[in-house]
Amino acid sequence: QVQLVESGGGLVQAGDSLSLSCTASGRSFGGFRMAWFRQAPGKEREFVGYIIWDSGTTLYGDSGSGLYGYPVKGRFTISRDNVKNTVYLQMNSLKPEDTAVYYCAAGRLRDSVYNYWGQGTQVTVSS
């Protein structure tokens, strides 16, 4: 059974940093991209970025012109530890607008959808 388990969320102040983890189990994730999404109350789910499991190549969403208007590129960094089967989301210079439930997801590179999802972890940034 494939499981993605996020951890590391919490309450922080604006300007603080926080690191989220997503521990994956149940299968090999070679050929997958591991992504982070977030969803704020009353808003649509937003793509934060992904990392390709095999190569470590990353891509970040740019919400500068999107729903939230606050780009994460340059503040957030995605990395992975293949030995620990864990993907990380390092978030720096957090803003209240980053408050959301953060989800980890895994999708095959050949697919346009994400096949597996975690349960999410809450991040709250106070001003």
Side-chain angles (χ1 to χ4, degrees):
Q1 180 182 359
V2 175
Q3 281 193 312
L4 302 178
V5 180
E6 302 97 333
S7 62
L11 172 63
V12 297
Q13 293 187 333
D16 284 351
S17 297
L18 198 63
S19 180
L20 305 183
S21 299
C22 170
T23 300
S25 61
R27 65 161 297 141
S28 168
F29 288 91
F32 276 72
R33 64 191 184 282
M34 307 296 288
W36 287 96
F37 289 81
R38 67 184 184 182
Q39 188 166 20
K43 297 188 177 181
E44 294 186 9
R45 187 173 59 198
E46 179 187 29
F47 171 72
V48 174
Y50 70 63
I51 187 166
I52 296 177
W53 189 264
D54 298 312
S55 66
T57 301
T58 55
L59 181 146
Y60 298 92
D62 179 1
S63 58
S65 58
L67 294 173
Y68 301 105
Y70 294 95
V72 303
K73 191 172 183 179
R75 298 191 297 123
F76 290 10
T77 302
I78 299 174
S79 62
R80 93 284 192 227
D81 184 328
N82 289 18
V83 174
K84 295 182 178 179
N85 259 23
T86 300
V87 178
Y88 303 97
L89 177 64
Q90 176 66 40
M91 304 184 291
N92 298 328
S93 303
L94 283 163
K95 306 173 186 290
E97 295 73 23
D98 295 316
T99 295
V101 178
Y102 283 72
Y103 297 92
C104 176
R108 296 181 182 88
L109 292 177
R110 65 175 185 263
D111 292 340
S112 60
V113 298
Y114 285 87
N115 310 95
Y116 307 105
W117 290 84
Q119 82 289 349
T121 186
Q122 176 71 47
V123 173
T124 303
V125 184
S126 64
S127 58

